[in-house]
């Protein structure tokens, strides 16, 4: 599969500049159960006036049944669900082709959406990229939330009326492939040879209050919009994202102790315009 970076050439050759600026932005808030996806996605969606797609609502009856009985989903169980998430995100994010007459030529909302989906493995994110990171169709970005097993167990214990119980937490943690977000050049030292996923940002949530994680999510999305906006208008490379450009003054999202790569940088520009 092409990486987002490799799509640049196609984007330059096949999409007219003006069209590119109106390409919907789809942000997927990902991570294991109870990392705070719904909480964070709601905050981001409200801040930017974007519709939200709740991935949990798109599971089949069979998947819900399985998870309720404490059985982790398999890849096979997840493929169809990921397809549903792609379709629902595209439908939510795309401006209507003919806006209602009373709105004149204005769209009811800027094109884009905030979707929650665990997207635990890289192969799942790749499927979503195949469907949604397509020049002229959409720009896709991931905000991946993570937390320790201990903290997730505690959150799930305190939560009521949810099919996902404590006995599912371990499998969520074991299955999760936290995206490697930057190439720090330390592969030899760390032994981390996984492919970098430049369209992802990771937020560690242990001992961080929900409101603070929401703020971080809003900031991360702003950074990604600004990068996409400037590339969209200058080079037209709406599907490319250069990690370096995400770095700014060192205010920052704290880094977890250990090896997780963290999203960083505060954008210098405060104005946020989805359509660049
Ligand atoms: N940063 C946080 N600190 C403490 N509790 C949190 C935090 N974020 C979310 N929670 C709480 O944890 C629970 C799970 O949050 P939320 O539903 O947002 O997570 P989720 O990832 O969408 O879960 P799921 O995928 O299982 O539906 C909720 O009770 C929520 O209030
Ligand atoms: O991929 C998965 O195993 C599932 O999607 C779960 O992560 C749940 O949908 C969700 O997070 C609800 O707790």
């Amino acid at each position: 599969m092409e990486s987002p970076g490799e799509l640049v050439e196609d984007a330059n050759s096949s999409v007219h500049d003006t069209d590119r600026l109106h390409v919907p932005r789809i942000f997927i808030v990902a991570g294991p159960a109870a990392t705070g996806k719904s909480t964070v996605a709601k905050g981001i969606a409200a801040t930017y006036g974007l519709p939200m797609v709740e991935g949990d609502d798109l599971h089949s009856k069979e998947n819900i049944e399985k998870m309720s009985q404490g059985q982790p989903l398999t890849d096979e169980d997840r493929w169809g669900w990921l397809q549903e998430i792609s379709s629902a995100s595209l439908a939510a994010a795309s401006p209507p082709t003919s806006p209602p007459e009373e709105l004149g030529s204005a769209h009811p909302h800027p094109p884009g959406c905030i979707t929650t989906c665990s997207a635990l493995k890289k192969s799942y994110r790749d499927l979503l990229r195949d469907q949604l990171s397509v020049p002229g169709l959409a720009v896709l970005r991931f905000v991946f939330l993570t937390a320790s097993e201990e903290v997730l167990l505690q959150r799930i214990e305190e939560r009521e009326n949810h099919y996902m119980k404590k006995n599912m937490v371990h499998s969520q943690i074991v299955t999760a492939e936290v995206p490697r977000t930057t190439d720090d050049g330390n592969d030899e030292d760390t032994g981390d040879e996984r492919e970098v996923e430049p369209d992802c940002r990771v937020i560690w949530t242990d001992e961080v209050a929900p409101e603070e994680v929401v703020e971080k999510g809003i900031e991360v999305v702003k950074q990604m919009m600004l990068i996409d906006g400037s590339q969209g208008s200058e080079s037209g490379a709406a599907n490319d994202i250069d990690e370096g450009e995400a770095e700014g003054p060192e205010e920052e999202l704290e880094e977890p102790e250990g090896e997780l790569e963290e999203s960083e940088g505060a954008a210098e520009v405060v104005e946020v315009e989805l359509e660049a």
Side-chain angles (χ1 to χ4, degrees):
M1 201 204 81
E2 289 167 304
S3 74
E6 287 165 334
L7 293 170
V8 178
E9 224 172 87
D10 286 345
N12 282 336
S13 60
S14 60
V15 186
H16 188 274
D17 268 351
T18 320
D19 294 340
R20 197 175 296 118
L21 301 182
H22 295 271
V23 168
R25 268 66 168 156
I26 297 174
F27 294 92
I28 297 192
V29 182
T35 42
K37 299 182 293 292
S38 304
T39 306
V40 171
K42 273 181 207 149
I44 299 174
T47 298
Y48 296 117
L50 293 173
M52 181 174 153
V53 174
E54 176 57 76
D56 281 352
D57 295 344
L58 298 171
H59 276 300
S60 63
K61 261 198 343 244
E62 292 75 19
N63 279 2
I64 301 274
E65 182 81 357
K66 229 177 149 171
M67 290 188 278
S68 311
Q69 291 171 2
Q71 292 174 39
L73 300 181
T74 62
D75 288 353
E76 285 311 310
D77 295 325
R78 290 185 178 112
W79 297 135
W81 172 63
L82 293 167
Q83 295 285 355
E84 292 287 331
I85 286 187
S86 291
S87 310
S89 300
L90 260 189
S94 304
T97 42
S98 319
E101 219 171 280
E102 62 273 21
L103 289 171
S105 58
H107 298 141
H109 59 74
C113 75
I114 311 294
T115 296
T116 61
C117 167
S118 47
L120 295 177
K121 295 187 186 178
K122 180 172 178 296
S123 56
Y124 305 159
R125 297 189 287 276
D126 282 344
L127 182 145
L128 294 163
R129 288 179 180 116
D130 279 341
Q131 304 285 316
L132 299 174
S133 188
V134 179
L137 182 72
V139 175
L140 176 67
R141 302 287 174 240
F142 294 91
V143 180
F144 194 100
L145 307 182
T146 185
S148 65
E149 186 164 347
E150 196 189 351
V151 162
L152 294 183
L153 283 168
Q154 195 184 332
R155 286 187 199 162
I156 286 193
E157 199 165 53
E158 286 164 9
R159 172 169 83 174
E160 286 170 359
N161 302 324
H162 199 289
Y163 57 81
M164 207 77 170
K165 300 287 185 263
K166 279 177 77 176
N167 57 0
M168 292 290 281
V169 169
H170 185 67
S171 76
Q172 290 278 300
I173 291 282
V174 170
T175 308
E177 297 168 0
V178 178
R180 181 169 172 224
T181 54
T182 55
D183 190 346
D184 58 13
N186 283 331
D187 289 359
E188 276 180 38
D189 296 334
T190 63
D192 188 351
E193 292 178 352
R194 293 174 306 143
E195 201 182 316
V196 172
E197 297 180 64
D199 52 357
C200 296
R201 294 291 182 272
V202 175
I203 301 178
W204 180 256
T205 71
D206 271 18
E207 293 176 38
V208 188
E211 311 78 59
E212 219 180 303
V213 183
V214 170
E215 283 306 310
K216 288 179 178 183
I218 290 168
E219 179 59 31
V220 162
V221 165
K222 181 168 81 176
Q223 289 171 30
M224 294 196 279
M225 282 180 187
L226 290 169
I227 292 166
D228 294 336
S230 65
Q231 291 183 344
S233 56
E234 286 163 21
S235 69
N239 272 297
D240 183 30
I241 189 163
D242 179 346
E243 197 76 21
E245 294 191 38
E247 290 174 2
E250 296 189 353
E251 166 231 289
E252 298 355 322
L253 314 171
E254 299 123 28
E255 198 151 340
E257 285 180 25
E259 60 291 314
L260 280 177
E261 287 295 339
E262 182 63 292
S263 44
E264 49 178 36
E268 285 165 24
V269 189
V270 179
E271 286 286 302
V272 175
E273 284 190 36
L274 201 64
E275 292 183 297

